[in-house]
Amino acid sequence: HAAPEVRREARNQIPAKHSLLRRSITVTRSPGGPHAAMLSAMTQASDPHLHMHHPDSQLTLRVVPMPADVNANGDIFGGWVMAQVDIAGSIIAVRRARGRVATVAVNSFQFKQPVFVGDLLSFWARQVHVGRTSITVEVEVTAERNPENPIMVKVTDATLTYVAIDRSGSKRCSHEGPPRPAGARSDGARIFRC
C-alpha cells in the first residue's frame, strides 16, 4: 500500500553549509528510518543538482558504482566512469542523429573529485555542436553521497564527439535520420546529401 505523505521542514535536517538543499519539501515516509527519509527527500526535491550542471543539460543516466568497480586505491576506477560518460553522451547523440552513432573523439575529460562505492551518480548531457555528420556532447557528472549528512559534488566534466553511422558503419548525416542516396563516385563510395 502507498505510504502517507507529510510536509516536513528539511531545513533542520541539513547542515547550513549545504544551503542548496535547505528548503521545505515533501517527504514520503520510509521504512528505512530517518536516513532513508532524508535520501527520499533528496531525490524528490525539484532539482538537488541546481547550479552544478548547465541549465540546458538533460539527466540521461543515473547509476550507483559497486565494489566490483574499484581500483587499487579503493576509489572507483576512472575507466568505469569514462564508460558511463560515453553511454550518457551517446544517448543525446542518438536522439539527435535518429539512429546509430559511434564515438570518434574524447575532446576533454576532467576528474574533479574521486568517486566512491555507493555514490549516486547523475550524468547530465547536452549537445554543444552539430556538424554535417558529427555531434559534440558535453557531459557533467554529479554525485550524491553520505546519506547521513547528504552532500552533492561535481565529479567529472567531459566533452565527446560522436559520428552518425548507417547499418554498414559508414558515416551519414547527423541531423536527418538515414541518408538519402544521391549516387556514387567513380571509386564506388556512396555520396549522400545532408
Side-chain angles (χ1 to χ4, degrees), residues 67-130:
D69 306 315
V70 299
N71 61 22
N73 297 325
D75 302 328
I76 298 303
F77 180 57
W80 181 88
V81 176
M82 291 181 83
Q84 305 308 308
V85 166
D86 188 25
I87 291 168
S90 72
I91 291 169
I92 297 297
V94 164
R95 285 179 184 159
R96 174 62 187 199
R98 290 187 272 163
R100 292 178 61 191
V101 298
T103 309
V104 294
V106 177
N107 306 324
S108 68
F109 207 104
Q110 183 179 15
F111 293 102
K112 296 176 172 284
Q113 299 257 344
V115 175
F116 304 111
V117 171
D119 283 353
L120 175 58
L121 300 181
S122 297
F123 295 77
W124 302 86
R126 71 184 181 102
Q127 158 190 309
V128 293
H129 177 75
V130 177

Side-chain angles (χ1 to χ4, degrees), residues 1-192:
H1 65 70
E5 288 191 349
V6 296
R7 284 300 280 179
R8 180 178 297 178
E9 191 69 29
R11 186 177 309 274
N12 299 330
Q13 297 178 10
I14 300 173
K17 67 180 181 178
H18 305 298
S19 60
L20 173 64
L21 294 174
R22 292 178 63 129
R23 61 179 167 243
S24 178
I25 55 179
T26 301
V27 178
T28 302
R29 290 189 193 272
S30 171
H35 301 309
M38 179 50 59
L39 187 57
S40 176
M42 287 172 53
T43 55
Q44 288 183 16
S46 61
D47 187 355
H49 300 274
L50 192 62
H51 307 299
M52 289 198 162
H53 60 83
H54 193 279
D56 292 337
S57 295
Q58 299 175 34
L59 178 61
T60 57
L61 183 65
R62 277 193 140 172
V63 66
V64 176
M66 301 307 242
D69 306 315
V70 299
N71 61 22
N73 297 325
D75 302 328
I76 298 303
F77 180 57
W80 181 88
V81 176
M82 291 181 83
Q84 305 308 308
V85 166
D86 188 25
I87 291 168
S90 72
I91 291 169
I92 297 297
V94 164
R95 285 179 184 159
R96 174 62 187 199
R98 290 187 272 163
R100 292 178 61 191
V101 298
T103 309
V104 294
V106 177
N107 306 324
S108 68
F109 207 104
Q110 183 179 15
F111 293 102
K112 296 176 172 284
Q113 299 257 344
V115 175
F116 304 111
V117 171
D119 283 353
L120 175 58
L121 300 181
S122 297
F123 295 77
W124 302 86
R126 71 184 181 102
Q127 158 190 309
V128 293
H129 177 75
V130 177
R132 191 171 67 85
T133 62
S134 66
I135 301 140
T136 302
V137 177
E138 178 183 85
V139 180
E140 298 169 285
V141 185
T142 58
E144 294 178 30
R145 56 178 55 142
N146 192 14
E148 294 85 16
N149 187 14
I151 60 170
M152 316 263 184
V153 293
K154 183 181 267 191
V155 293
T156 303
D157 279 330
T159 305
L160 302 93
T161 300
Y162 302 86
V163 67
I165 57 174
D166 61 19
R167 288 184 182 160
S168 68
S170 299
K171 287 194 242 181
R172 65 172 178 84
C173 299
S174 63
H175 57 282
E176 294 182 359
R180 294 172 294 171
R185 296 191 319 216
S186 59
D187 63 2
R190 290 186 339 168
I191 300 171
F192 54 91

